[in-house]
Amino acid sequence: WKPKDADKDHSSWEDLWYNLGEFAPYHAAKRVFPDMVSHSTVPKHCTIKQAHVLHRHGAKFPDKGHKNGPGNFGKIVSDQRKQGKLNVSGDLSFLEDFDYDLGQKILTHQGSEQMFRSGVKHYYDYAKLLTDHKKPVVRTTSHSSMLDSARYWTLGFFGWDAPDKVNLEVLLDADRQNNTLEPAKACENAYKHSKGDDLVSEWQNVYLQDARHRLQRSLDGYSLSVSDVSQFMSLCAYETVGFGFSNFCHLFTKEEWEGFQCQSDLQ
């Protein structure tokens, strides 16, 4: 998992792994903000009486299939191969055997493991707060990745008899329902005033031009856009958490991966 030109840039797997934006596999923060150090442990005169844990979901496959998102380029490769028009070389030679096999919206195995491990960890941290006469509430939505995340978390926390030891409340993933876990549907104005997409487009035209020209030399018969190249980077992330490895990862330099992280922040 090293970026392109790793030896020249003195880069390592961390420069790739930690710059995958919201797709990055979970890892503990390397540094704590200085003003947080004094708050990192419970003061001796305090006692924890209640704990709240908030997860959206574990690692999952893309929300969008072949029409949009990373699957779009996968369909282009498949169509060109069927028509005998796929002409790749160099770094993109692996596309001769590439098939888009990612699932859609559901948890990956890694995502299931993440939530199970979180349940185990929080059991050791907070199980002493449980009482015999009151079951804890685990609230989630009916969206499969979130519902399955809640189930794997309770499995890690309680074990096989989790359904008997917890109140699992499932909010329907419906329009306009008051649901803070899925605010896009509860708030009609959620994305009306967002400038994220515009900023992302502007930034892609800055940080991906060199990569686009470089990769275009290894692909004949199809003109790459900066959006296509960005999807290559997304495929690196999705295939890594979905299958354990991706040939798309080594196509980009340390600086370009830092640009992808910035793109995720803008989004």
Side-chain angles (χ1 to χ4, degrees):
W1 270 292
K2 286 188 176 181
K4 185 177 180 63
D5 299 332
D7 294 337
K8 183 177 71 174
D9 293 339
H10 305 291
S11 58
S12 71
W13 64 272
E14 292 184 347
D15 295 301
L16 194 165
W17 191 272
Y18 294 155
N19 285 307
L20 295 177
E22 72 268 32
F23 309 114
Y26 175 80
H27 54 277
K30 284 187 172 183
R31 294 177 295 276
V32 178
F33 292 111
D35 57 341
M36 294 297 294
V37 173
S38 61
H39 302 289
S40 60
T41 57
V42 179
K44 291 182 179 180
H45 61 278
C46 293
T47 301
I48 295 177
K49 292 185 176 181
Q50 193 177 73
H52 296 262
V53 181
L54 176 63
H55 285 296
R56 183 169 171 83
H57 51 67
K60 66 179 179 62
F61 288 113
D63 283 344
K64 298 178 180 178
H66 288 93
K67 292 183 179 179
N68 296 292
N72 184 52
F73 187 76
K75 185 175 187 304
I76 292 172
V77 170
S78 177
D79 290 345
Q80 288 210 326
R81 185 187 298 132
K82 291 176 181 177
Q83 298 169 18
K85 297 179 180 179
L86 185 65
N87 189 0
V88 291
S89 60
D91 287 345
L92 294 183
S93 295
F94 71 91
L95 291 178
E96 292 180 352
D97 302 311
F98 170 71
D99 290 309
Y100 181 81
D101 293 324
L102 294 173
Q104 188 173 349
K105 294 186 178 182
I106 61 174
L107 287 184
T108 64
H109 278 60
Q110 186 179 92
S112 303
E113 181 189 32
Q114 288 169 341
M115 300 307 299
F116 179 83
R117 285 178 176 270
S118 175
V120 172
K121 179 188 184 302
H122 286 98
Y123 173 84
Y124 286 123
D125 288 345
Y126 301 116
K128 60 182 176 292
L129 299 178
L130 291 175
T131 59
D132 294 334
H133 63 279
K134 192 172 183 180
K135 293 182 180 179
V137 175
V138 174
R139 186 175 290 108
T140 184
T141 81
S142 58
H143 198 291
S144 65
S145 63
M146 299 182 199
L147 179 57
D148 289 345
S149 290
R151 286 170 168 162
Y152 277 108
W153 190 92
T154 58
L155 180 63
F157 193 98
F158 290 104
W160 293 119
D161 56 349
D164 298 327
K165 294 182 177 180
V166 66
N167 287 320
L168 182 64
E169 296 184 359
V170 182
L171 300 173
L172 296 180
D173 192 14
D175 290 345
R176 305 303 305 279
Q177 184 169 3
N178 184 17
N179 180 358
T180 56
L181 297 174
E182 180 60 296
K185 294 184 178 180
C187 175
E188 290 185 334
N189 292 323
Y191 296 108
K192 283 185 178 179
H193 306 294
S194 171
K195 296 186 178 181
D197 290 341
D198 294 336
L199 292 172
V200 165
S201 296
E202 290 180 24
W203 177 233
Q204 285 178 347
N205 284 316
V206 173
Y207 90 97
L208 284 179
Q209 288 295 356
D210 288 346
R212 184 178 71 83
H213 291 304
R214 183 176 69 242
L215 293 170
Q216 187 66 71
R217 291 194 290 269
S218 298
L219 178 64
D220 290 333
Y222 177 79
S223 180
L224 288 171
S225 67
V226 290
S227 179
D228 290 328
V229 178
S230 177
Q231 295 300 344
F232 283 8
M233 304 182 92
S234 295
L235 277 165
C236 161
Y238 278 123
E239 288 191 335
T240 295
V241 299
F243 306 138
F245 178 79
S246 175
N247 283 305
F248 289 95
C249 295
H250 69 270
L251 298 177
F252 303 97
T253 65
K254 172 185 176 181
E255 183 178 3
E256 287 161 353
W257 280 116
E258 290 171 346
F260 184 75
Q261 174 66 44
C262 182
Q263 172 181 312
S264 301
D265 294 338
L266 292 173
Q267 182 74 54

